[in-house]
Amino acid sequence: MPDQAWSQFCQALEKAGEVVLSGPDTALDRAEGYRYLTRLTREMLYSCLDNADPDFPRFHELDLVKIGADNPDNVYLSANIRGDRTYRITGKRGTIAYFSIGSKANRYAKDGTMASTGELSDADLTIAPDGTVEIIASAVQQGANWLPLAPDSTGLVVRQTYLDRASEEPGSWHIEQIGGPAEPASLTPEFLAKALQRAALSVHGTAATFAHWTRTFMARPNELPDFGQEMFQRAGGDPEIFYLHGYWSLRPSEAWVIETDVPDCPYWNFQLDNWWMESLDHRRRITVNKHTASLDADGRLTIVVAAEDPGAGNWIDTCGHSSGTALLRWLGASEHPIPKCRVVSLEEMR
């Protein structure tokens, strides 16, 4: 059985490569596409095999795994759980600007969804005088900080969001099941076969889901319209966030100018992503947020996406790409301005 399971896993990964072949055919986009699959493979193997036990969950940081327009300002943590268990989550809130934790029903491997089954954010959180926090995740309400679970809950997702990385510290978090077994179950050939199958399906399903999103956004190039929030929430979005996704395509001599009012809200950011909806190199100028942006004299926001700095607005570097995706988030806002966008020549900006 293990031999057959491994062979089927390898064949399924080869099948996932068809998602890359269906995307853009530039050398850079293809290289990033295959790297994307290797990143997904690493993450799904860890999640489905080595960190899969819902009786002994561990929080895992998504290091260099970029999925669905990952936020460069975020520290993401995830853990596998089951909806019929009860878990205690303990830690310190830290000084980072925003914290949320959600329980999710992850079905990326089946239908591309990761629906929310419970949410808890800063506005709901009770913090002890010494800065510690205890959260109970369960089907039945318990304690001041309760995270609801549903019968189909499969995982937890923590978002910790920076406004200023130079001065803020994220929290530290630990999870344990209450009343679970004393020892983890031993590895069996049956579990290995199922874990490899889930991992391969998750790689393919995740890649296919967000390739579909990009093609949806391509219908309205160089815009940031409201495509409807349900699609983004069904895929695991934060209910506190209003998402404005888009697709951009530029010549080297062109700039994408984005102008918008800015709502009164705790956090917002804009980021540039590649075709696979991975955020671009975090060492480059690929994002701007409420803290780092410079607003116009009238309080409006101007973002300029271009291959080189035009000397105007908040410049975002295309990092050698000619096309890709983008995202503007409004978090906790009561109003959600839709930006006005246009493509101009870089010469016009100078």
Side-chain angles (χ1 to χ4, degrees):
M1 181 184 294
D3 294 343
Q4 182 181 12
W6 179 255
S7 177
Q8 291 173 345
F9 170 73
C10 293
Q11 292 171 29
L13 284 186
E14 184 177 17
K15 184 74 173 175
E18 294 179 4
V19 177
V20 175
L21 293 174
S22 71
D25 60 1
T26 71
L28 178 57
D29 287 319
R30 283 286 169 87
E32 289 185 334
Y34 287 119
R35 182 185 64 183
Y36 175 48
L37 292 186
T38 67
R39 288 171 167 175
L40 290 178
T41 301
R42 172 167 59 89
E43 177 61 27
M44 300 313 174
L45 281 173
Y46 181 73
S47 178
C48 295
L49 188 58
D50 285 325
N51 193 24
D53 190 344
D55 291 325
F56 293 88
R58 298 188 299 268
F59 277 124
H60 165 55
E61 184 174 345
L62 300 184
D63 175 41
L64 286 182
V65 180
K66 302 185 175 190
I67 299 174
D70 59 290
N71 187 345
D73 290 333
N74 274 6
V75 177
Y76 292 98
L77 303 175
S78 68
N80 284 322
I81 53 94
R82 278 182 47 142
D84 59 356
R85 271 55 162 184
T86 298
Y87 300 92
R88 179 185 294 110
I89 300 148
T90 53
K92 289 199 171 183
R93 166 68 177 77
T95 61
I96 202 164
Y98 176 70
F99 167 88
S100 72
I101 182 170
S103 63
K104 308 292 182 179
N106 190 334
R107 295 175 57 90
Y108 277 3
K110 296 180 180 179
D111 58 15
T113 64
M114 189 165 67
S116 170
T117 57
E119 299 289 339
L120 192 63
S121 70
D122 278 329
D124 313 305
L125 211 58
T126 299
I127 303 175
D130 64 355
T132 59
V133 180
E134 179 178 285
I135 298 168
I136 299 298
S138 60
V140 178
Q141 183 168 359
Q142 299 185 44
N145 297 321
W146 174 57
L147 177 64
L149 301 183
D152 59 346
S153 297
T154 59
L156 304 181
V157 175
V158 173
R159 288 177 170 89
Q160 300 182 92
T161 306
Y162 286 102
L163 277 174
D164 181 8
R165 284 184 176 268
S167 63
E168 297 171 357
E169 290 289 338
S172 56
W173 300 97
H174 172 76
I175 181 172
E176 61 182 347
Q177 186 192 174
I178 298 174
E183 299 289 340
S186 299
L187 177 68
T188 65
E190 292 77 15
F191 171 79
L192 175 70
K194 290 179 180 179
L196 289 175
Q197 182 183 46
R198 283 195 302 269
L201 288 173
S202 295
V203 171
H204 196 163
T206 302
T209 292
F210 294 110
H212 169 71
W213 281 26
T214 297
R215 292 188 183 91
T216 300
F217 306 151
M218 289 173 71
R220 299 182 65 174
N222 300 316
E223 295 184 47
L224 289 171
D226 178 10
F227 282 99
Q229 298 301 300
E230 182 182 358
M231 178 170 71
F232 310 136
Q233 295 301 330
R234 279 171 51 82
D238 186 334
E240 291 294 312
I241 296 176
F242 190 89
Y243 296 91
L244 294 167
H245 284 276
Y247 171 83
W248 59 276
S249 179
L250 296 171
R251 297 186 179 92
S253 60
E254 292 179 327
W256 182 27
V257 180
I258 301 161
E259 298 170 311
T260 182
D261 292 325
V262 178
D264 181 17
C265 61
Y267 170 84
W268 60 261
N269 86 325
F270 172 86
Q271 67 181 75
L272 208 65
D273 307 318
N274 64 16
W275 198 93
W276 310 104
M277 296 189 67
E278 296 180 297
S279 62
L280 297 182
D281 188 343
H282 294 186
R283 297 168 295 182
R284 308 277 286 270
R285 296 172 63 111
I286 58 92
T287 186
V288 67
N289 69 24
K290 179 180 178 178
H291 174 75
T292 60
S294 298
L295 299 183
D296 303 336
D298 60 1
R300 286 170 57 82
L301 172 68
T302 300
I303 296 168
V304 181
V305 176
E308 58 186 79
D309 188 351
N314 296 275
W315 174 50
I316 301 295
D317 187 354
T318 58
C319 301
H321 295 73
S322 60
S323 64
T325 56
L327 173 58
L328 177 63
R329 295 173 177 85
W330 306 127
L331 186 152
S334 58
E335 298 179 328
H336 307 112
I338 306 298
K340 293 183 178 179
C341 303
R342 67 185 193 278
V343 174
V344 302
S345 73
L346 278 169
E347 286 301 317
E348 291 180 47
M349 303 293 298
R350 297 189 174 99

